[in-house]
Amino acid sequence: RIGSATSLSSAVVNTRLQELVRLFKERTEKVKEKLVDPDATSDDESPVASPTKPAPAAAPVPAPGGELEGNKPLEDDHYCEMLCCTFKYRPWRDRLKSYQFPSSIDPLTNLMYVLWLFFVVMAWNWNCWLIPVRWAFPYQTPANIHYWLLVDYLCDLVYLLDILVFQTRLQFVQGGDIITDKKAMKENYLRSQRFKMDVLCLLPLDFFYFKVGVNPLLRFPRCLKYMAFFEFNNRLEAILTKAYIYRVIRTTAYLLYSLHLNSCLYYWASAYEGLGSTTWVYDGEGNSYIRCYYWAVKTLITIGGLPDPKTLFEIVFQLLNYFTGVFAFSVMIGQMRDVVGAATAGQTYYRSCMDSTIKYMNFYRIPKTVQNRVKTWYEYTWHSQGMLDESELLVQLPDKMRLDIAIDVNYNIVSKVALFQGCDRQMIFDMLKRLRSVVYLPNDYVCKKGEIGREMYIIQAGQVQVLGGPDGKSVLVTLKAGSVFGEISLLAAGGGNRRTANVVAHGFANLFILEKKDLNEILVHYPESQKLLRKKAKKMLKTNNKPKDEKGGPGDPLIIPPKAETPKLFKAALAATGRMGGKGPLERLRWRLKELKAMQ
């Protein structure tokens, strides 16, 4: 029994020691990886655990009715029933009380400010469109005057809130610094031209209602808040993905508004001359606004077919209408052309490049198969990227913004390349800006076997196939998006590293290319990363160039195996014996070795 207990304890101790040795080995490997690659994860960098939560309270005792007391909703809790579920929510009054209005507003990026500008522009449009209508047409009557006044003063309230709440909280830039101080923002607004126009548009001319009656023309200063309209246009175009659609709608609204003003003036002229007094004026039949708007369209667009004016007033009015119509309509047409031209500028550039290329290929009688592939490349590149060359767009941006875009697009892929792990992070950032995007068509050769490799490839989209085998057409492996190949060629010494296989695009493939000369220009500024890369490259090249015999593969059989080399210490002893001229055993052994060597 004592022996069995001793053997059992020794087995337990051995098992524990083996486990400790295994743990120490794992720890050593992790430390070595951390020293080689600082970006690798480590146990030391694991997040700190959260504080221990208190133990849960004891389960409540069921009430006599069978229901737990803890499950009963409190009086202050609010629940919302939806379908078969019950949700707890905060009352809207509490949420409203807890909401804090921002002390400063960024006018360039704050969407809440853009939404507020929308309401201000709606109030401005109400005044611009309805004041002429109420002045010219008999739509404002004593029976409905209170409805008109209600909307008017709601618009005035929006104007007043814009001055007191929003404009005094707008951030501004002074000397390169963003100013967010309340007093400074308020003083900046009070000194601006915007404040003067905002005060002017709220002139209290409504007090004249008590003397001359409710005349809509007294509200004409409300139309002077045009600066809010143009600011809203700039902010909205900055956040829209297709801003040209809004520009077309806005230009069309300009044309409709000019026709709207002309129709109001025509009804006023007809009322001044007397409705139906001549063939030129409005006869008072049908819908007055629609009839006058139709006349305004025919006049401004100069369609013709209008009755001739009879009186001097009618002639002068018609002449001014024609001159204004020609000028306004030409301006609108020119602006619409510019808007449509700007919206289709990219498409026009694409068509121009494609037409020039086709003309060039036809002039030199390029085969139709090649021409079809070129056309396919143009169409796929344009539809997939929206442009033919991404560098043309990024070259306009500052260096910092180009780096930010490159990091968001390519950093996750490049950081996973084994060759660059452990390198300086700033070196990788500089390398990202040198990547060049290239589109390959189906069955295009990305690289061929035997050619000198001078670039590395990163697959952004699509797939490529590595071909090999006796015929060179067998698919060895298929690389998908995120894969990297050809990285050893970047640091190969001498004449470069030759490609060992053919790589073909399987379908359309979009690849990023990093050239060897670009990497060499970057490594000049990062000597430590250069040493690490050369060390990794030598190791990878040694692995790739290792003969099959050394890898354990079958080599050429030898009939007579080679003789093992004589140890250096034994050679030194033989040489010393020879110099002393001795005739002992060592000298005889040396003579025997010479004889065996001569026989071989």
Side-chain angles (χ1 to χ4, degrees), residues 562-575 589-590 593-594 596-597 600:
K563 180 179 69 69
E565 187 179 359
T566 305
K568 294 182 179 180
L569 183 61
F570 192 52
K571 286 183 177 180
L574 292 178
L589 183 59
R590 180 182 179 187
L593 289 174
K594 284 184 178 180
L596 290 174
K597 187 175 182 181
Q600 282 188 343

Side-chain angles (χ1 to χ4, degrees), residues 101 108 171 175 252 257 313 365 440 449 525 551 563:
F101 197 81
L108 301 179
Q171 303 173 4
T252 306
Y257 184 70
F313 175 80
R365 303 180 185 277
Y440 288 90
K449 182 179 181 179
H525 307 286
K551 294 182 180 180
K563 180 179 69 69

Side-chain angles (χ1 to χ4, degrees), residues 59-266:
V61 180
E67 184 179 357
L68 294 178
E69 295 180 358
N71 294 337
K72 292 182 180 180
L74 300 177
E75 295 180 359
D76 296 336
D77 294 341
H78 297 265
Y79 291 86
C80 173
E81 294 185 359
M82 182 180 297
L83 296 179
C84 61
C85 302
T86 303
F87 300 95
K88 185 177 180 180
Y89 72 100
R90 294 178 60 189
W92 64 272
R93 293 182 180 178
D94 294 344
R95 287 182 291 174
L96 188 61
K97 291 179 181 179
S98 61
Y99 177 75
Q100 294 182 354
F101 197 81
S103 59
S104 64
I105 300 174
D106 184 4
L108 301 179
T109 59
N110 196 316
L111 295 181
M112 182 190 68
Y113 180 64
V114 179
L115 180 61
W116 171 252
L117 285 178
F118 170 76
F119 291 110
V120 176
V121 170
M122 291 297 294
W124 178 76
N125 275 280
W126 166 270
N127 293 314
C128 291
W129 286 79
L130 273 301
I131 287 176
V133 172
R134 294 160 60 186
W135 165 72
F137 292 91
Y139 291 151
Q140 179 177 297
T141 62
N144 60 14
I145 187 65
H146 54 282
Y147 294 111
W148 294 102
L149 294 179
L150 175 62
V151 181
D152 286 345
Y153 294 128
L154 283 177
C155 295
D156 292 349
L157 179 61
V158 172
Y159 281 17
L160 191 62
L161 289 176
D162 183 58
I163 295 175
L164 299 178
V165 178
F166 285 88
Q167 296 301 322
T168 56
R169 299 170 184 260
L170 293 184
Q171 303 173 4
F172 66 98
V173 179
Q174 185 178 18
D177 297 330
I178 300 177
I179 306 301
T180 59
D181 182 67
K182 292 183 179 180
K183 184 178 179 180
M185 290 186 296
K186 185 176 180 179
E187 292 178 353
N188 178 70
Y189 172 62
L190 295 179
R191 292 193 304 264
S192 64
Q193 183 70 20
R194 176 76 171 268
F195 173 72
K196 299 176 183 178
M197 297 302 298
D198 290 346
V199 172
L200 187 62
C201 73
L202 282 178
L203 284 177
L205 300 180
D206 300 32
F207 289 108
F208 289 99
Y209 286 171
F210 298 105
K211 186 175 182 179
V212 299
V214 182
N215 189 348
L217 286 181
L218 294 175
R219 292 187 55 82
F220 179 75
R222 304 297 189 272
C223 300
L224 297 179
K225 202 174 178 63
Y226 60 89
M227 300 180 72
F229 172 70
F230 291 112
E231 184 183 7
F232 174 72
N233 291 334
N234 295 333
R235 301 291 175 262
L236 188 61
E237 290 178 5
I239 62 177
L240 291 177
T241 55
K242 295 183 178 180
Y244 66 89
I245 297 178
Y246 174 71
R247 297 190 189 107
V248 171
I249 296 174
R250 185 183 60 201
T251 306
T252 306
Y254 290 159
L255 178 60
L256 296 178
Y257 184 70
S258 62
L259 297 174
H260 169 77
L261 292 179
N262 196 23
S263 63
C264 295
L265 291 174
Y266 175 65

Side-chain angles (χ1 to χ4, degrees), residues 361 366-376 441:
M361 292 188 296
I366 304 297
K368 289 295 181 182
T369 54
V370 179
Q371 292 191 24
N372 292 335
R373 293 182 64 82
V374 172
K375 294 177 183 178
T376 304
L441 301 184

